[in-house]
Amino acid sequence: MYVFVYGTLTDPERVEAVLGDERYEFDGTATLEGLHRVEGRYPTLAPGGSVDGRLLEVDNVGLERLDRYEGVDTGLYVRVGVPLADGEQTVRVYVGRPDRLGVAGRVEWPEGSSFAARVRAALERSNGMVHRRE
């Protein structure tokens, strides 16, 4: 399965440190439409625009390790699915809570019952999608 990475996980040494002996592969560059990168203690995303990154292919164990690294269980980041432009797959994307990451300025998310629901709503409104780049 694919994960779209746009921050610390674009660095192969960081990925190796997080995933250890787990199998993974970078599978080219991509652009996520519908969200853009903002800076805080760690990079995260906000509604609108686009962000360039890489596609990282992992298995279920690798995804669990990435979830731990991103703090999904503590609510620091959420993992959402975004369609790949070829229509064949869903790409996983981690989005951090701006209020917990010290992002300067206000980030406006649509209303929703949870942060993950608000991220999904922003992606739906913008027809969010991941496009492979050559």
Side-chain angles (χ1 to χ4, degrees):
M1 73 190 74
Y2 286 120
V3 178
F4 177 82
V5 295
Y6 56 90
T8 60
L9 291 173
T10 60
D11 176 17
E13 290 179 10
R14 177 64 57 107
V15 172
E16 188 170 323
V18 171
L19 296 180
D21 60 353
E22 198 55 40
R23 189 195 76 76
Y24 67 89
E25 180 179 342
F26 283 104
D27 192 16
T29 57
T31 300
L32 169 61
E33 301 288 342
L35 300 175
H36 68 278
R37 182 176 162 153
V38 293
E39 298 300 325
R41 206 173 60 222
Y42 300 105
T44 189
L45 301 172
S50 64
V51 61
D52 292 333
R54 301 176 81 179
L55 291 174
L56 177 64
E57 188 173 9
V58 298
D59 61 14
N60 286 332
V61 173
L63 191 64
E64 289 172 12
R65 290 181 183 177
L66 292 175
D67 281 356
R68 279 195 301 276
Y69 173 75
E70 297 288 9
V72 170
D73 61 332
T74 65
L76 186 61
Y77 281 76
V78 296
R79 177 172 33 94
V80 296
V82 179
L84 189 60
D86 66 12
E88 300 281 325
Q89 313 184 40
T90 298
V91 177
R92 282 79 178 164
V93 178
Y94 291 97
V95 181
R97 296 180 61 103
D99 58 327
R100 301 217 17 223
L101 293 173
V103 172
R106 186 167 172 82
V107 177
E108 296 289 332
W109 290 99
E111 293 299 316
S113 58
S114 66
F115 182 63
R118 296 172 79 187
V119 172
R120 284 191 289 271
L123 286 163
E124 287 173 16
R125 287 181 185 177
S126 67
N127 293 316
M129 188 169 296
V130 174
H131 299 271
R132 286 182 181 274
R133 290 191 344 237
E134 297 301 318

